[in-house]
Amino acid sequence: MVCPSPFLQVEMLLRRSIPLWLVAPILLPLLLVAARLLTPTPEVWLHLWETRLLEMFVGTTLLVGGVGATTLLLGTGLAWLVSVYTFPGRNLFVWLLLLPLAVPTYVLGFVMMATFDFAGPVQTALRGWFGPEAWFPEIRSLGGAVLVMMLALYPYVYLLARAAFREQALSTLEAARTMGYSHWQALLKVALPLARPSLVAGTTLAMLEALTDFATVRFFNVPTFSEGVFRIWEGMMDREAATELAALLLMIALAIILLERALRGQARYTQTGGPVQRLAPQPLRGRRAWGATAVCGLTLAVAFVLPVGQLLAWAVAEWQNPIAPTADGVAWRYVLTTLGLAAAAALLAVGMALLVASSARLNAGWLGRAATGLAGLGYAMPGAVVAAGTLLVLAATDNLLNSSGLISGLLLTGSIVGLLYAYLVRFLAVALNSVDASLEKVTPRLVEAARCMGASRTRILGRVHAPLVQAGLLAGAILVFVDVMKELPVTILLRPFGMDTLAIWTYMLAAESYWQAAAIPALVIVLAGLLPVALLVRAGDSGGRP
């Protein structure tokens, strides 16, 4: 056996590490933020401790814990209901219960606040019926924020839990029934343990979304670390202190991810035997059937029908009688800016995703798998962390260019290029998952045949991989496009001066209590958010009947 020369070994190692080099720019902002914890500024942390650090810690802990617990209960309960039973409207609710995914949390938040606040129609009606002393829970509170986020985020758990329940073999639950278990006992002792990895993954997504939110918690007066980063960044104009607080936020997000891995990492749940016969739903009758319909209908009504209906009513009123102080042509500028940024970010993300996924396939091994895994860290991080890390990278690059004499002043900081880079860090994982799933269906024999014919890696990428994953590229582009349209934290912190998007416009109007005016941009965002929901429904239909 002839051993390769050291030079050949180095060349082979460099080729295999190409996917890691591709994702290095994605990881750099997160690494720079994490490095801030190694060199903390004592004055910053002393000031935070003396002011609101403990308050932010308690608020963040209660919010994330409350959202995790409530989304787990609601999402799992609804998934079990539509998976195990049949009742009036069940076939529609299977997919309609996904619709709240289209409504951003901050949109649902300001609609709920305007509807149930002291001056809103609900409390006004109650005081008219029962007198001025009529009591109603305070909506601007931690409980109100948890309720809104539960309604907006439960589909994460519902979607994964329903998929897990559908995959469970009929024989497994029949065995539980022969042992005398009722349906609810079978759920608690058999179905939930089998579905644990999916339930933990969905709950973790909801908790990370709650951790990254700043607009909703600001509406509801809940102090959190994410909201604190924005207050320090924009209110105090102290980006160093904001970055160090973002580093703490990064550690909390990593702790949640590691906890999720620990909860499901050691467990293995498999179905043995031949082809799996899926669970056959049992019919409900009488009060139970209509009770199940009422539960699903009430959830859908509060989480989707109510906010969208209120937005439509406000939008019509604003169209007929505008009340917002918006100059002529500004609204169209917001729309065009948002569409342009979303389209550019989507093209950039799917192009990068194709490079990473294809390189990982052509350089099989642990390096390729590590690259695709690390590329998803940005999506799991709060937007404030991504924004802070991106600013560190942009500032360091500008300083390097200035010191070398190539430019004078700021080139990347506060530019569209910097904003698109932050979007790439944040949403590459969305496009990568879609492209990588499509590449899984490409047989390795095609690549081997291309290599035998002397095709280079670049030619394989352009002539083999790209044409065969067009569906995955399109799906990934749509998902990134919609995510960028809804994105608020990264955009509001890194946008160039004077540039606003539909999300920022919605937030600013809602913060000033211009509910009616905020409805029009919010509706555009909601309509765009229906696109990924349609993709999920189509994917579910292609997998068989619910």
Side-chain angles (χ1 to χ4, degrees):
M1 180 178 180
V2 180
C3 296
S5 67
F7 295 103
L8 184 58
Q9 290 179 348
V10 171
E11 181 183 0
M12 293 172 61
L13 180 60
L14 289 175
R15 283 187 176 182
R16 290 176 181 174
S17 62
I18 286 177
L20 285 177
W21 287 109
L22 288 173
V23 301
I26 308 301
L27 299 176
L28 185 57
L30 306 181
L31 294 176
L32 290 179
V33 172
R36 286 304 179 100
L37 290 178
L38 302 177
T39 57
T41 306
E43 295 80 7
V44 169
W45 291 103
L46 180 61
H47 175 71
L48 289 173
W49 175 258
E50 292 175 347
T51 53
R52 303 189 69 184
L53 185 62
L54 183 59
E55 188 180 11
M56 288 187 290
F57 174 77
V58 173
T60 301
T61 302
L62 293 178
L63 178 73
V64 172
V67 170
T70 54
T71 53
L72 176 63
L73 290 175
L74 181 60
T76 305
L78 292 174
W80 179 255
L81 204 57
V82 301
S83 299
V84 177
Y85 302 107
T86 59
F87 49 88
R90 177 256 182 189
N91 290 336
L92 287 176
F93 284 126
V94 165
W95 304 119
L96 291 179
L97 288 171
L98 292 173
L99 289 178
L101 278 176
V103 185
T105 309
Y106 56 87
V107 172
L108 182 60
F110 86 76
V111 172
M112 289 294 187
M113 187 171 59
T115 304
F116 296 99
D117 203 5
F118 181 81
V122 173
Q123 291 205 48
T124 301
L126 288 177
R127 290 194 299 271
W129 295 337
F130 303 105
E133 301 300 325
W135 178 84
F136 192 84
E138 177 58 53
I139 189 67
R140 293 178 185 252
S141 63
L142 175 65
V146 170
L147 175 64
V148 166
M149 291 189 180
M150 174 193 72
L151 294 172
L153 302 176
Y154 82 83
Y156 287 120
V157 181
Y158 167 79
L159 183 65
L160 295 178
R162 179 177 165 271
F165 292 149
R166 287 183 64 209
E167 292 168 357
Q168 292 179 11
L170 175 61
S171 58
T172 304
L173 294 183
E174 284 182 343
R177 295 301 303 276
T178 58
M179 296 174 65
Y181 290 163
S182 66
H183 270 91
W184 285 108
Q185 289 174 325
L187 168 66
L188 295 175
K189 297 184 178 182
V190 179
L192 288 184
L194 288 174
R196 194 178 94 183
S198 298
L199 299 180
V200 171
T203 305
T204 301
L205 286 174
M207 293 171 69
L208 288 172
E209 288 287 341
L211 184 67
T212 193
D213 185 275
F214 92 94
T216 309
V217 296
R218 181 169 287 187
F219 291 154
F220 288 83
N221 297 326
V222 180
T224 64
F225 286 123
S226 183
E227 192 271 337
V229 171
F230 281 85
R231 188 173 355 97
I232 295 172
W233 188 307
E234 291 195 313
M236 301 174 58
M237 300 301 291
D238 189 346
R239 294 186 176 180
E240 291 295 325
T243 301
E244 294 198 20
L245 187 60
L248 180 59
L249 192 60
L250 170 63
M251 293 299 104
I252 296 175
L254 287 176
I256 293 176
I257 295 172
L258 292 176
L259 178 63
E260 184 261 347
R261 297 295 180 185
L263 288 176
R264 70 184 180 101
Q266 300 299 322
R268 295 294 183 269
Y269 306 102
T270 59
Q271 300 284 359
T272 59
V276 175
Q277 183 181 0
R278 288 178 177 171
L279 187 64
Q282 300 296 315
L284 292 176
R285 294 181 175 84
R287 294 180 180 178
R288 291 186 177 184
W290 291 109
T293 301
V295 169
C296 294
L298 181 62
T299 302
L300 183 65
V302 177
F304 185 78
V305 177
L306 170 64
V308 173
Q310 182 64 79
L311 289 175
L312 284 170
W314 280 336
V316 171
E318 176 66 14
W319 190 271
Q320 295 174 346
N321 184 25
I323 62 172
T326 304
D328 293 338
V330 171
W332 283 110
R333 190 177 73 218
Y334 291 154
V335 172
L336 294 177
T337 299
T338 304
L339 295 178
L341 285 174
L347 291 175
L348 186 63
V350 295
M352 186 68 172
L354 182 60
L355 283 175
V356 173
S358 179
S359 298
R361 288 283 186 275
L362 296 175
N363 301 274
W366 69 270
L367 288 174
R369 293 192 298 271
T372 54
L374 292 173
L377 280 179
Y379 191 64
M381 293 298 110
V385 173
V386 174
T390 302
L391 184 64
L392 292 175
V393 174
L394 299 178
T397 305
D398 280 339
N399 290 335
L400 180 62
L401 294 175
N402 276 274
S403 62
S404 63
L406 295 177
I407 65 169
S408 176
L410 300 178
L411 177 65
L412 299 177
T413 304
S415 67
I416 294 180
V417 174
L419 183 58
L420 290 176
Y421 174 48
Y423 288 149
L424 182 63
V425 175
R426 183 85 168 88
F427 299 120
L428 175 63
V430 178
L432 185 59
N433 288 339
S434 181
V435 174
D436 196 52
S438 293
L439 280 178
E440 287 282 357
K441 303 173 185 178
V442 178
T443 174
R445 293 182 180 179
L446 290 177
V447 177
E448 293 172 1
R451 282 177 166 173
C452 291
M453 296 174 66
S456 64
R457 295 170 184 268
T458 305
R459 193 171 182 81
I460 291 174
L461 172 65
R463 301 296 297 273
V464 178
H465 282 167
L468 292 176
V469 296
Q470 290 181 4
L473 291 173
L474 178 60
I478 291 174
L479 293 173
V480 174
F481 184 92
V482 174
D483 276 339
V484 171
M485 283 192 66
K486 297 189 296 184
E487 174 61 29
L488 188 57
V490 170
T491 309
I492 205 170
L493 290 179
L494 294 180
R495 72 191 191 279
F497 180 77
M499 173 182 285
D500 288 324
T501 63
L502 289 173
I504 296 177
W505 187 24
T506 302
Y507 168 70
M508 294 298 185
L509 291 172
E512 297 294 330
S513 297
Y514 287 110
W515 319 120
Q516 180 175 308
I520 293 179
L523 268 179
V524 176
I525 296 173
V526 171
L527 291 175
L530 291 174
L531 291 174
V533 176
L535 288 176
L536 289 174
V537 172
R538 182 178 178 184
D541 283 338
S542 64
R545 290 184 60 83

